[in-house]
Amino acid sequence: MAYYYPEPSRTFNEFLLVPCYTSEKCTPDQVSLKTPLVKYRKGVEECPIELSIPLSSAIMQSVSDDNLAVALAKEGGISFIYGSQTIEDEASMVKRVKNNKAGFIVSASNLTPDATLADVIDLKAKNGFSTVAITDDSTANGKLLGIVSSRDYRISRMSMDTPVKEFMTPIDKLVTAPENTTLHEANDIIWDNKLNSLPIIDKDGHLLYFVFRKDYSQHKEYPNSLIDAEKRYIVGAGINSRDYEERVPALVEAGADVLCIDSSEGYSIWQKRTIEFIRNKYGDKVKVGAGNVVEKDGFKFLAECGADFVKVGIGGGSICITRATKGIGRGQASAVIEVAQARDDYFKETGVYVPICSDGGIVHDYHMTLALAMGADFLMLGRYFAGCDESPTNKVVINNQFFKEYWGEGSNRARNWQRYDLGGSKSLSFEEGVDSYIPYAGPLHDNVEMSLYKVKSTMCNCGVTSIPELHEKAKLTVVSATSIVEGNYHDVTLKTNT
């Protein structure tokens, strides 16, 4: 007969953390939120990629593009660029993130001297950069002839067909630096000469990089930025179990630091084949996460296939209707608790620690702390980031209030049939996600700062100052329906502004 779980399927709302002794070291400023992103031999080696904060953005059209990826990397988290687009477009997004680094930046805006002011304006509108390199062949590495910045022209007083060569700052009036210049030396040159940008050129005058004053300021403003050895932002990218043979090489070449198979259910032969392809072609050099699963067998399967991390959760997202449509899934709290135990058991057996990501079910900020306490190494959030300024969706006004659009990958709008691949026809037979609006939340930085301060504060109440310590020492209790009511304001009449 069928197997019946002895315990009901529980959500984060059904748990509370029980406070433990708070010592003098337990203050929010002493709490570290560093956490591993990919597998490693814990206690023997350092994790190859470690997050500064335990947050990642969902692999969704309405959430993770290059703009949000840069904003989240500045905070110390990671975005996974959505894969439900052409291979070329996804690779381009990855490249834009890698070029937008806090250091030496490959020029993204380039024209020849024969271009016009109209071309400059169009280019600025297209990519948002105000500094345009003028090279002999309009490429990022052509011979540098000059620069156009916003101070070189005035739209109200110039004709749109004015050639660039008539108003650009020519090379003989530019301060430049040779290719062996260090970042520290470049910043000194910028400050000594009161520059906004410094071109780095080779011995033949070809443009290599720009160093921008704003990047120095941003590095000081965002000390937890997630960057690689070349000071480029770290970024992930979503893949599927259909076109991985073409998509994976393109994303690796574009510079993606880690990949993740985007699927509603990961305990499958399709994910095994995808991981095998990556391991056969790249060995362990290319990092790839897999999922989603909701119990121990699924985790062990993906870990043995070679997954670098495993995502946990089916049907818990705010726009997901998989449970209502297909009747599969599990309460997110129950899923995380069981998979976390499986991860620990796997570590004891093999010495390899495979991080788990709690994906879905986060409604309130305190749910973040609960998920981490239950064993999650990091969290994947969709609705949370979709409401921020940096997400790719439109901001709209409904009943005099601001909202942003938010839709699921299983909705007719996204039509991401690859995410629900069962090896059959190439189509979306029925919806597993909805198209919706969510309240506008403002800047990503402000939201993340406030949410994580709450997480740190709660960790202090639990007597811990790190996520591994939280895993080990947290005490959780199941709450009754009555105590959930008791936990909010009750038996009072709220004051209202009139």
Side-chain angles (χ1 to χ4, degrees):
M1 61 180 292
Y3 176 78
Y4 291 87
Y5 280 86
E7 292 291 328
S9 181
R10 298 194 181 278
T11 68
F12 294 135
N13 270 336
E14 297 177 80
F15 287 88
L16 286 175
L17 283 157
V18 177
C20 297
Y21 172 68
T22 302
S23 69
E24 61 183 9
K25 73 173 185 178
C26 293
T27 57
D29 61 306
Q30 306 239 23
V31 174
S32 170
L33 294 179
K34 289 185 179 297
T35 190
L37 175 65
V38 296
K39 68 181 179 184
Y40 67 112
R41 293 192 174 275
K42 191 175 181 180
V44 177
E45 61 185 8
E46 295 293 324
C47 180
I49 306 177
E50 190 176 53
L51 301 177
S52 300
I53 60 173
L55 303 182
S56 64
S57 65
I59 311 171
M60 301 174 67
Q61 294 175 9
S62 55
V63 180
S64 296
D65 66 351
D66 51 303
N67 189 42
L68 190 128
V70 169
L72 186 51
K74 288 178 181 178
E75 303 298 329
I78 187 170
S79 289
F80 289 88
I81 302 296
Y82 69 92
S84 53
Q85 58 180 320
T86 67
I87 295 173
E88 294 74 20
D89 287 346
E90 186 180 9
S92 293
M93 283 191 180
V94 170
K95 287 179 182 178
R96 288 199 291 271
V97 177
K98 300 307 290 185
N99 285 337
N100 193 338
K101 65 178 180 176
F104 296 98
I105 298 175
V106 176
S107 179
S109 296
N110 311 285
L111 293 171
T112 66
D114 295 325
T116 65
L117 176 58
D119 295 322
V120 173
I121 302 303
D122 289 344
L123 196 56
K124 182 178 180 181
K126 180 180 179 181
N127 59 29
F129 300 124
S130 58
T131 299
V132 180
I134 308 304
T135 60
D136 61 345
D137 58 2
S138 75
T139 67
N141 298 121
K143 189 170 184 178
L144 184 64
L145 303 178
I147 288 178
V148 171
S149 66
S150 55
R151 66 184 180 184
D152 289 317
Y153 59 87
R154 295 185 66 177
I155 298 176
S156 60
R157 296 189 178 184
M158 295 171 60
S159 171
M160 284 294 172
D161 59 3
T162 304
V164 164
K165 58 189 174 186
E166 292 186 12
F167 60 89
M168 71 179 187
T169 301
I171 184 67
D172 58 0
K173 293 185 179 180
L174 291 174
V175 176
T176 62
E179 60 184 306
N180 59 351
T181 303
T182 67
L183 185 58
H184 179 75
E185 292 170 340
N187 283 317
D188 285 343
I189 295 172
I190 287 174
W191 286 96
D192 291 343
N193 292 275
K194 299 179 180 180
L195 305 173
N196 287 323
S197 63
L198 175 69
I200 308 296
I201 59 176
D202 67 15
K203 59 183 177 60
D204 296 317
H206 292 92
L207 178 63
L208 299 175
Y209 308 102
F210 276 111
V211 177
F212 290 96
R213 175 191 290 260
K214 66 177 182 179
D215 287 330
Y216 177 84
S217 302
Q218 285 180 356
H219 180 65
K220 296 299 182 183
E221 185 178 354
Y222 300 99
N224 293 324
S225 293
L226 196 65
I227 55 177
D228 62 19
E230 298 178 42
K231 297 187 181 296
R232 302 175 302 177
Y233 292 120
I234 288 178
V235 62
I239 61 174
N240 62 69
S241 55
R242 283 280 185 162
D243 64 7
Y244 55 85
E245 293 187 8
E246 296 80 34
R247 190 174 293 269
V248 169
L251 295 174
V252 171
E253 184 179 353
D257 298 280
V258 58
L259 307 175
C260 184
I261 306 172
D262 182 26
S263 174
S264 65
E265 201 277 300
Y267 191 3
S268 73
I269 183 63
W270 319 118
Q271 295 225 355
K272 180 179 181 180
R273 290 176 180 173
T274 304
I275 297 171
E276 284 178 345
F277 168 80
I278 294 172
R279 293 291 170 251
N280 291 335
K281 186 173 180 65
Y282 301 101
D284 290 327
K285 292 182 179 179
V286 172
K287 308 302 181 183
V288 56
N292 288 23
V293 300
V294 292
E295 43 75 61
K296 61 183 180 182
D297 292 337
F299 169 85
K300 187 174 182 180
F301 171 79
L302 291 176
E304 291 177 344
C305 286
D308 286 289
F309 66 85
V310 175
K311 285 205 299 162
V312 182
I314 294 176
S318 61
I319 42 70
C320 185
I321 56 173
T322 293
R323 296 180 194 172
T325 304
K326 298 170 69 175
I328 65 167
R330 194 178 189 187
Q332 190 66 9
S334 296
V336 170
I337 291 169
E338 180 172 329
V339 174
Q341 183 61 60
R343 173 206 57 206
D344 292 345
D345 292 342
Y346 186 81
F347 170 64
K348 291 176 183 177
E349 295 170 6
T350 66
V352 177
Y353 187 88
V354 181
I356 64 171
C357 168
S358 178
D359 178 16
I362 302 292
V363 179
H364 306 292
D365 287 343
Y366 80 90
H367 288 170
M368 295 182 184
T369 321
L370 282 171
L372 294 171
M374 291 171 182
D377 294 284
F378 63 101
L379 318 173
M380 181 166 280
L381 306 169
R383 180 189 58 84
Y384 180 91
F385 288 120
C388 296
D389 282 324
E390 293 83 356
S391 77
T393 62
N394 295 319
K395 186 166 68 172
V396 298
V397 178
I398 302 175
N399 295 329
N400 297 318
Q401 292 188 337
F402 285 108
F403 291 82
K404 291 202 77 175
E405 295 178 305
Y406 180 46
W407 60 91
E409 289 297 289
S411 67
N412 272 325
R413 183 169 184 174
R415 301 203 65 79
N416 182 9
W417 64 268
Q418 294 95 334
R419 190 175 194 274
Y420 305 88
D421 183 25
L422 292 175
S425 61
K426 299 180 179 181
S427 64
L428 188 68
S429 301
F430 53 86
E431 289 186 282
E432 292 190 44
V434 299
D435 197 345
S436 65
Y437 298 104
I438 56 172
Y440 166 64
L444 180 145
H445 171 75
D446 295 347
N447 284 274
V448 168
E449 185 177 51
M450 177 57 71
S451 296
L452 294 185
Y453 189 83
K454 293 178 184 177
V455 171
K456 290 180 178 181
S457 180
T458 306
M459 288 172 64
C460 291
N461 294 140
C462 295
V464 303
T465 57
S466 70
I467 292 175
E469 205 178 1
L470 182 65
H471 288 170
E472 180 184 350
K473 297 181 179 180
K475 294 181 179 180
L476 296 115
T477 180
V478 176
V479 295
S480 68
T482 304
S483 60
I484 292 175
V485 174
E486 181 187 63
N488 209 329
Y489 66 85
H490 58 89
D491 300 311
V492 295
T493 301
L494 292 183
K495 292 181 179 180
T496 58
N497 295 323
T498 57

